[in-house]
């Protein structure tokens, strides 16, 4: 199908890409791959040249300049642009490339994604930015298939990240993958690792693998990287009514009271899920290990004497057995990164021994607590806490290496009811310290 239209040159020049097409030599072709790449070549060449290597012309918007005042624009034959891009959409996008002309109110998601693709293809950044902001609020289980196709076609990292976490929540939640996605009763279909929306688009979920890798790397750098100086914090415990579970915990910086992490413990023997501070305290019970703010979990053994800190990866073994369809989505399996052990102390006549082990960058680290001494005046075990700890408690301890009290790597102790001191330094990282505090506050048998 061919559509012809006379367009004023000033409208054409609103698109930097079409402006470059007008400046190109007559007979040349400019192709715009929907990942921001473009190539200039000879239209009559049958075999692709080296500069076309890795680029499929069938997924590109192609512009040829046959004469001085003429441009021929061809739409993609495959990919997301095949259905979402139309000649009318291009003209509308050019008309929107005027300050204040774009208004997303009332536009359908399908229309917005079409404008977004055209804005990227035509290199109209202001319209692309406005569309992206509008689309960010519309991505849900009903629109994610189209959003994923648009994000993949344009190479838009932010759009792909939003799609990934929407899919992670929809596919890995308690109810599992929506039945309509599997039986074909709705517009969205999930099959053989591809997510499609009717006949509009189909995108392999493996395109989200990079999003997962980037997320794991960013969290590792932020939360698993130690600092040489001491970090002074407090851990605040919030109990439910009458002191019952669930309990929530907040790690707060001492100097600013800024919340760094939040933790949920559903009952006295359950695993503890650790999240960033973006999730409000009153929404913590609703948060899942499949949300973007999830940082890891602490899993106790039956006796409450051994605690394992896992990173933010997924429990693939449980998912594979309970929700196998969800494993079509790229996910990293969770890995243990720290072990916190307590010696069994049945009689409770002396303080427990605490042992912490982890490995970072090929180097193993082993810490043990300093054995407290019996103070005759206090008639109890005691340790010097340099004014940081205010209350005597069996939970108070200090971690050192080789029983050397001159270098304390972590100090934990009670300040007042439900408020605890947590000071630490490298090689103990932020997530390690929080896990050690959680283990200290857990019930021991």
């Amino acid at each position: 199908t061919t559509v012809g239209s006379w367009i004023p040159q000033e409208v054409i020049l609103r698109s930097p890409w079409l402006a470059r097409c007008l400046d190109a030599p007559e007979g040349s072709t400019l192709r715009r791959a929907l990942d921001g790449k473009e190539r200039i070549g000879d239209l009559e060449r049958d075999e692709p040249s080296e500069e076309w290597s890795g680029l499929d012309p069938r997924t590109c918007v192609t512009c040829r300049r046959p004469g001085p005042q003429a441009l021929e624009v061809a739409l993609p034959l495959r990919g997301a642009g095949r259905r979402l891009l139309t000649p009318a959409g291009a003209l509308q996008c050019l008309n929107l490339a005027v300050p204040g002309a774009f208004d997303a109110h009332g536009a359908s998601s399908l229309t917005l994604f079409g404008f977004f693709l055209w804005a990227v293809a035509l290199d109209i950044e202001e319209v692309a930015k406005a569309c992206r902001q509008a689309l960010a609020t519309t991505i849900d289980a009903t629109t994610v298939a189209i959003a994923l196709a648009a994000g993949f076609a344009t190479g838009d990292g932010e759009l792909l990240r939003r799609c990934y976490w929407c899919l992670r929540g929809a596919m890995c939640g308690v109810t599992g993958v929506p039945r309509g996605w599997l039986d074909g009763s709705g517009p969205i279909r999930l099959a053989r690792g591809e997510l499609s929306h009717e006949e509009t688009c189909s995108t392999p979920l493996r395109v989200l693998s990079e999003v997962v890798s980037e997320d794991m790397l960013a969290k590792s750098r932020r939360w698993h990287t130690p600092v040489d100086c001491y970090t002074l914090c407090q851990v605040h415990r919030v109990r439910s009514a009458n002191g019952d579970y669930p309990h929530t915990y907040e790690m707060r910086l001492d100097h600013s009271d800024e919340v760094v992490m939040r933790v949920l413990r559903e009952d006295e023997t359950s695993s503890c899920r650790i999240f960033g501070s973006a999730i409000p305290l009153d929404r913590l019970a609703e948060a899942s290990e499949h949300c973007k703010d999830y940082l890891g979990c602490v899993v106790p053994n039956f006796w409450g004497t051994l605690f394992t800190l896992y990173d933010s990866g997924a429990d693939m073994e449980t998912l594979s057995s309970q929700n196998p369809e969800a494993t079509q989505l790229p996910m990293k399996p969770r890995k243990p990164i720290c072990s916190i052990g307590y010696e069994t102390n049945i009689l409770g006549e002396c303080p427990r021994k605490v042992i912490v082990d982890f490995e970072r960058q090929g180097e193993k680290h082993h810490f043990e607590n300093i054995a407290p001494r019996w103070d005759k005046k206090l008639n109890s075990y005691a340790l010097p806490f340099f004014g940081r700890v205010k209350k005597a408690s069996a939970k108070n301890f200090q971690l050192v290496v080789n029983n050397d009290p001159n270098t304390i790597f972590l100090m934990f102790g009670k300040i007042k009811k439900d408020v605890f001191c947590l000071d630490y330094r490298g090689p103990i990282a932020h997530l390690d310290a929080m896990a050690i505090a959680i283990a200290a506050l857990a019930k021991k048998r």
Side-chain angles (χ1 to χ4, degrees):
T1 302
T2 301
V3 177
S5 179
W6 292 98
I7 304 175
Q9 185 169 349
E10 61 269 20
V11 176
I12 291 289
L13 295 178
R14 292 173 186 172
S15 163
W17 184 66
L18 292 180
R20 290 196 294 273
C21 295
L22 282 176
D23 289 338
E26 284 188 30
S28 61
T29 300
L30 210 67
R31 299 195 180 189
R32 182 74 165 182
L34 290 176
D35 58 1
K37 297 179 181 177
E38 59 184 43
R39 299 288 188 273
I40 295 180
D42 184 352
L43 188 66
E44 298 178 354
R45 193 175 292 161
D46 294 327
E47 296 295 327
S49 65
E50 291 183 0
E51 66 174 339
W52 285 88
S53 177
L55 184 67
D56 186 353
R58 294 172 297 177
T59 64
C60 301
V61 177
T62 303
C63 184
R64 179 174 178 265
R65 188 188 177 201
Q69 298 295 321
L71 292 176
E72 292 179 352
V73 178
L75 303 183
L77 300 177
R78 58 183 298 179
R82 178 171 174 263
R83 295 280 184 175
L84 293 176
L85 296 182
T86 64
L91 296 177
Q92 287 177 302
C93 191
L94 288 170
N95 289 330
L96 292 173
V98 177
F102 181 80
D103 182 8
H105 182 71
S108 68
S109 297
L110 205 61
T111 301
L112 282 175
F113 284 118
F115 283 158
F116 177 66
L117 282 179
W118 268 124
V120 173
L122 297 174
D123 205 14
I124 306 175
E125 181 56 35
E126 290 185 4
V127 176
K129 183 179 179 180
C131 287
R132 187 185 294 110
Q133 291 175 345
L135 291 171
T137 63
T138 66
I139 298 176
D140 56 25
T142 65
T143 62
V144 67
I146 300 174
L148 177 62
F152 174 54
T154 58
D156 191 289
E158 179 59 28
L159 201 54
L160 290 175
R161 280 189 289 273
R162 289 180 179 273
C163 289
Y164 178 79
W165 292 113
C166 176
L167 287 168
R168 184 79 175 263
M171 296 174 63
C172 302
V174 177
T175 58
V177 178
R179 299 313 320 172
W181 293 15
L182 300 174
D183 60 23
S185 59
I188 297 180
R189 181 73 184 273
L190 175 65
R192 297 184 297 278
E194 293 199 1
L195 193 70
S196 58
H197 186 280
E198 295 179 335
E199 299 298 323
T200 303
C201 54
S202 181
T203 312
L205 294 179
R206 66 176 181 273
V207 305
L208 295 168
S209 298
E210 189 174 345
V211 174
V212 185
S213 298
E214 290 176 351
D215 177 73
M216 295 291 287
L217 180 60
K219 288 175 179 175
S220 177
R221 287 174 175 170
R222 174 67 179 89
W223 302 108
H224 304 170
T225 303
V227 293
D228 291 334
C229 60
Y230 283 97
T231 301
L232 308 184
C233 298
Q234 291 184 3
V235 175
H236 291 235
R237 175 171 55 190
V238 180
R239 307 171 190 252
S240 297
N242 301 321
D244 294 335
Y245 288 90
H247 288 180
T248 56
Y249 307 88
E250 289 184 333
M251 177 194 279
R252 300 182 183 181
L253 296 178
D254 227 28
H255 64 280
S256 64
D257 208 36
E258 176 190 352
V259 176
V260 179
M261 281 182 268
R262 291 190 170 99
V263 181
L264 176 67
R265 188 197 301 275
E266 294 179 336
D267 59 60
E268 64 181 25
T269 60
S270 69
S271 301
C272 295
R273 299 196 298 273
I274 308 173
F275 301 91
S277 59
I279 299 180
L281 196 63
D282 59 354
R283 299 288 301 277
L284 206 58
E286 306 169 15
S288 159
E289 63 268 31
H290 300 294
C291 72
K292 66 177 181 178
D293 295 301
Y294 175 69
L295 303 179
C297 67
V298 179
V299 181
N301 66 354
F302 175 77
W303 295 103
T305 55
L306 180 64
F307 299 82
T308 303
L309 169 64
Y310 289 92
D311 64 13
S312 60
D315 185 355
M316 298 303 294
E317 184 176 347
T318 301
L319 273 177
S320 298
S321 61
Q322 299 180 359
N323 186 9
E325 294 89 355
T327 59
Q328 297 180 63
L329 186 69
M331 287 177 278
K332 296 283 188 181
R334 70 180 189 180
K335 295 181 180 178
I337 55 178
C338 182
S339 172
I340 305 120
Y342 286 80
E343 283 191 351
T344 304
N345 186 7
I346 297 176
L347 298 178
E349 295 178 345
C350 60
R352 291 177 181 267
K353 185 175 183 179
V354 186
I355 301 172
V356 175
D357 291 286
F358 58 83
E359 183 176 340
R360 293 285 149 74
Q361 297 179 342
E363 183 178 356
K364 294 183 178 180
H365 299 278
H366 177 83
F367 304 90
E368 295 184 9
N369 64 313
I370 300 176
R373 296 180 179 180
W374 182 262
D375 190 308
K376 293 182 179 180
K377 293 181 180 180
L378 298 175
N379 197 32
S380 66
Y381 289 96
L383 277 173
F385 282 93
F386 316 104
R388 295 288 294 155
V389 175
K390 307 297 184 183
K391 298 288 185 180
S393 171
K395 295 179 173 65
N396 299 349
F397 66 91
Q398 299 167 351
L399 291 181
V400 297
V401 174
N402 297 326
N403 207 32
D404 178 10
N406 295 317
T407 305
I408 299 172
F409 289 92
L410 182 140
M411 183 163 61
F412 181 83
K414 189 172 184 178
I415 297 175
K416 59 182 180 180
K417 183 179 179 180
D418 293 327
V419 178
F420 303 85
C421 156
L422 177 61
D423 301 341
Y424 57 94
R425 58 164 294 178
I428 296 175
H430 310 299
L431 203 62
D432 303 322
M434 192 66 207
I436 294 168
I438 291 169
L441 295 170
K443 183 178 178 60
K444 316 289 191 303
R445 289 185 172 88

